Amino acid sequence: MSITTDARTSVDINDVTIFDGPGGYTGVEPTAEWADEVLALAKQRNATILAHNYQLPAIQDIAHHVGDSLALSRIAAEVDSDEIIFCGVHFMAETAKILSPDKRVMIPDERAGCSLADSITADELRAWKAEYPDAVVVSYVNTTAEVKGLTDICCTSSNAVDVVASIDPDREVLFLPDQFLGAHVKRETGRDNVYIWAGECHVHAGINGDELADQASSHPDADLFIHPECGCATSALYLAGEGAVPADKVKILSTGGMLDAARETRAKQVLVATEVGMLHQLRKAAPGVDFQAVNDRASCPYMKMITPAALLRCLREGKDEVDVAPDVAERARKSVQRMIEIGNPGSGE
């Protein structure tokens, strides 16, 4: 290793210099040669590359499978591979390990965290549960393995309403960690005994109602695809209720649901409220539709830490491995399995 003049660490790997800085690994462009080497290394390692919908386009295009975190974790459990390379954020790789305990799971940069998953710790959940000892704990899959291990039932954004609706109406529910998804669930179920943790994804929370209203006004014929984690989800329903936007144009959808809706929409233009990486898959699913971000600054810096350089380093060096303690994994697996048994496991967040 050597230190360069800009204080980044540089590592020479087979005539390629990969720089390691605070924003992740850099120094490699996604060329055809890069793609050939990535796929050749994956074959040598008997590894399956999974990429979340919010990843850089080059990472999505090189992956064997692209999708939502839960869908990818379920694929990880099914594929006949020794290794899983999860191009996403850390909790996603943990979920894959929970469902694939016998496989080696790696993330190209272990520093790729998640502001939503970090918004509640296991100790905070223990304290909250102590205040409501008879409540059922429902956790969004965007949580750490330890939090899943303290959870009764996991959920995704596509099945959160069904999960909560399946619980005895007289039982209190602790819903965590996303306050906007929780508000959506409470509104849809009509339950007044759902208590919501005040967590958020900083990227989705930053897509606000004023932006949505301005964009909807400027594009009156566009459909609106709104992720329920967004700060503008309630505003979208308000606009529909006030008649400012036709109600049939407002669709509150998971990322998987957005892809389904994209293939079916008759709109020529769609305004999308979620992380901007999703636009790549939407445009591939419906190339004749003009998909535009409600907020084109809604880019997750953690998701973008999985760079071409990081993926190449992961495959060449076998880093970074993700592990979950067996007892934690066993408890967490039960919370995911209970969700699946409800009958609508969804495709992910």
Side-chain angles (χ1 to χ4, degrees):
M1 286 190 174
S2 61
I3 303 299
T4 64
T5 55
D6 63 358
R8 292 182 299 172
T9 302
S10 65
V11 185
D12 290 322
I13 304 179
N14 297 356
D15 299 324
V16 175
T17 301
I18 293 177
F19 295 100
D20 181 13
Y25 296 99
T26 60
V28 175
E29 294 299 320
T31 61
E33 291 77 13
W34 167 82
D36 288 343
E37 182 168 2
V38 164
L39 293 176
L41 288 168
K43 186 175 182 180
Q44 290 172 20
R45 301 185 71 97
N46 190 24
T48 294
I49 302 171
L50 307 177
H52 189 269
N53 289 317
Y54 295 162
Q55 289 291 291
L56 293 166
I59 300 298
Q60 294 188 39
D61 289 344
I62 199 69
H64 297 114
H65 301 278
V66 181
D68 298 328
S69 66
L70 180 60
L72 293 174
S73 292
R74 296 177 75 182
I75 288 170
E78 295 168 359
V79 295
D80 184 18
S81 299
D82 296 323
E83 296 181 345
I84 301 298
I85 313 299
F86 208 120
C87 299
V89 293
H90 199 271
F91 82 81
M92 298 179 181
E94 281 189 334
T95 306
K97 183 64 177 179
I98 287 165
L99 296 181
S100 308
D102 297 328
K103 293 188 174 86
R104 188 177 188 220
V105 176
M106 291 182 289
I107 184 170
D109 193 331
E110 65 184 358
R111 297 167 296 185
C114 173
S115 60
L116 179 55
D118 288 345
S119 67
I120 186 167
T121 66
D123 285 342
E124 287 172 329
L125 179 51
R126 288 188 187 95
W128 199 27
K129 289 177 66 172
E131 296 178 30
Y132 300 90
D134 296 324
V136 178
V137 177
V138 177
S139 292
Y140 193 20
V141 292
N142 296 36
T143 47
T144 65
E146 287 192 344
V147 167
K148 286 184 179 73
L150 296 169
T151 294
D152 293 305
I153 312 175
C154 276
C155 73
T156 69
S157 61
S158 60
N159 70 16
V161 172
D162 290 340
V163 167
V164 172
S166 75
I167 298 168
D168 184 332
D170 294 328
R171 294 284 300 276
E172 294 176 317
V173 175
L174 303 183
F175 188 93
L176 62 105
D178 189 82
Q179 60 183 306
F180 300 110
L181 179 57
H184 172 68
V185 168
K186 193 167 185 174
R187 181 171 55 243
E188 290 295 309
T189 61
R191 295 175 65 137
D192 60 6
N193 59 353
V194 176
Y195 304 101
I196 302 167
W197 188 260
E200 64 182 30
C201 161
H202 74 283
V203 175
H204 282 96
I207 307 174
N208 62 55
D210 290 341
E211 288 176 320
L212 178 67
D214 289 345
Q215 291 274 25
S217 177
S218 301
H219 305 86
D221 296 325
D223 277 356
L224 305 181
F225 287 6
I226 314 293
H227 195 284
E229 281 183 41
C230 286
C232 65
T234 299
S235 297
L237 295 174
Y238 174 80
L239 290 172
E242 292 295 304
V245 176
D248 63 350
K249 288 186 174 294
V250 176
K251 305 178 192 303
I252 308 297
L253 300 164
S254 67
T255 52
M258 287 183 184
L259 285 171
D260 292 337
R263 298 182 183 102
E264 297 173 1
T265 187
R266 295 183 179 179
K268 294 181 179 179
Q269 187 174 60
V270 176
L271 300 178
V272 183
T274 191
E275 210 273 354
V276 294
M278 189 66 207
L279 294 173
H280 185 60
Q281 286 300 313
L282 289 171
R283 289 165 178 163
K284 290 175 71 172
V289 179
D290 178 23
F291 293 97
Q292 296 295 327
V294 169
N295 180 338
D296 60 10
R297 304 176 307 284
S299 177
C300 176
Y302 299 114
M303 284 286 183
K304 273 45 177 182
M305 290 181 75
I306 310 303
T307 61
L311 180 55
L312 184 61
R313 166 188 171 271
C314 175
L315 287 162
R316 284 182 170 180
E317 296 189 344
K319 296 179 178 179
D320 293 316
E321 186 168 1
V322 174
D323 205 1
V324 179
D327 59 326
V328 174
E330 182 179 359
R331 294 195 303 272
R333 197 176 302 116
K334 290 178 181 177
S335 67
V336 175
Q337 187 59 39
R338 290 189 189 106
M339 173 189 70
I340 293 171
E341 289 171 355
I342 288 172
N344 176 21
S347 56
E349 70 284 346

